Amino acid sequence: MVNGSPIIEGFIEAINLIITLNPQVVEITIRSLYVSLTATFLAALVALPAGALIYFYDFRGKHAVVSTLQTLYALPTVIVGLIMFLLLSNIGPFGFLRLLYTPGGMIVTQTVLIIPLLMGLTVSALSGIDRDKRYTITALGASRLQTVTTIIMEARFAVMSGVLLGFGRAIAEVGTVMIVGGNIRGATRVLTTAIALNTSMANYSMSIALGIILLAVALGVNIALSLVQRR
């Protein structure tokens, strides 16, 4: 009981921090949502059309491209963070943009991280549409554009599921945002990096409060994903 009391006290204090809308907790939460939502939106703008092109057009090496995308699902995130750090640093080709240790750099890094995931899931979603339906649409006199649009609409819920999964991966990411963002208080600190820092400093109440919020966001994503998949 004695060993458990600090944990219980930490939970009580964490709930108090959330209920009273502690400024630091609110700031970190808003920044996390802003960075991850923006990265997901930008990644979707690139990945969804690219995934559709891969699905609808036959070209040499298509299977290799799809296999590569699926392999990149398991790419260690710290490797992505390292590569982006080198590209955005002063010695890198994009150092002039001065994005290192800024929310903008974190957004770019998370975008790069989840683009392969969204592209691969888009291809999988479109592949799940019955090919007979595609042939029927064409046989009914639909143009190529109408055929593509109709099939994408048929797969829209599966595509939306992929986007939600991409957001879930982005907001739960710690390695890339730690390397590129630097976990700077008031500037680049987000939920995951703040949890890691406060835990190492034995500030358990803050860690638990941020962890509860992160779990709530993850739960919200899962509920939304479940509702979309039912459709």
Side-chain angles (χ1 to χ4, degrees):
M1 183 68 177
V2 175
N3 292 333
S5 59
I7 299 177
I8 295 174
E9 291 174 1
F11 268 104
I12 294 174
E13 179 62 24
I15 297 299
N16 183 60
L17 289 172
I18 295 172
I19 292 176
T20 58
L21 297 178
N22 177 271
Q24 188 176 352
V25 172
V26 173
E27 174 204 342
I28 292 172
T29 303
I30 291 175
R31 183 179 301 112
S32 296
L33 292 172
Y34 165 70
V35 169
S36 298
L37 285 170
T38 305
T40 304
F41 175 74
L42 294 176
L45 288 180
V46 176
L48 300 188
L53 286 174
I54 292 173
Y55 172 75
F56 285 109
Y57 290 93
D58 293 324
F59 54 90
R60 182 176 297 179
K62 179 176 180 177
H63 292 294
V65 170
V66 174
S67 297
T68 301
L69 288 174
Q70 293 173 343
T71 301
L72 291 176
Y73 291 175
L75 180 67
T77 57
V78 290
I79 299 298
V80 177
L82 174 60
I83 293 172
M84 294 304 298
F85 178 89
L86 295 175
L87 292 174
L88 298 176
S89 65
N90 291 332
I91 61 173
F94 301 106
F96 67 93
L97 296 174
R98 300 188 181 278
L99 289 175
L100 197 62
Y101 302 136
T102 67
M106 296 162 65
I107 290 171
V108 171
T109 301
Q110 285 195 357
T111 300
V112 171
L113 176 67
I114 64 177
I115 277 178
L117 176 64
L118 294 188
M119 285 179 64
L121 292 177
T122 299
V123 174
S124 298
L126 295 175
S127 299
I129 301 298
D130 190 353
R131 286 189 176 274
D132 289 340
K133 185 174 294 186
R134 179 178 176 180
Y135 298 143
T136 301
I137 295 170
T138 304
L140 290 174
S143 65
R144 185 172 186 82
L145 178 60
Q146 290 173 327
T147 302
V148 170
T149 303
T150 303
I151 293 176
I152 290 176
M153 288 301 296
E154 286 289 329
R156 64 188 182 280
F157 294 115
V159 172
M160 288 171 59
S161 297
V163 173
L164 287 172
L165 287 172
F167 170 73
R169 183 175 189 185
I171 200 164
E173 178 51 37
V174 59
T176 55
V177 292
M178 181 76 80
I179 294 173
V180 176
N183 197 23
I184 302 171
R185 181 175 182 175
T188 61
R189 188 164 296 172
V190 292
L191 287 170
T192 51
T193 58
I195 290 171
L197 177 64
N198 282 283
T199 301
S200 66
M201 295 171 61
N203 188 1
Y204 301 125
S205 59
M206 179 63 74
S207 296
I208 293 171
L210 297 173
I212 291 172
I213 293 172
L214 187 59
L215 281 174
V217 173
L219 179 61
V221 170
N222 286 331
I223 291 174
L225 184 61
S226 177
L227 292 174
V228 169
Q229 288 176 339
R230 287 181 184 178
R231 294 294 298 272

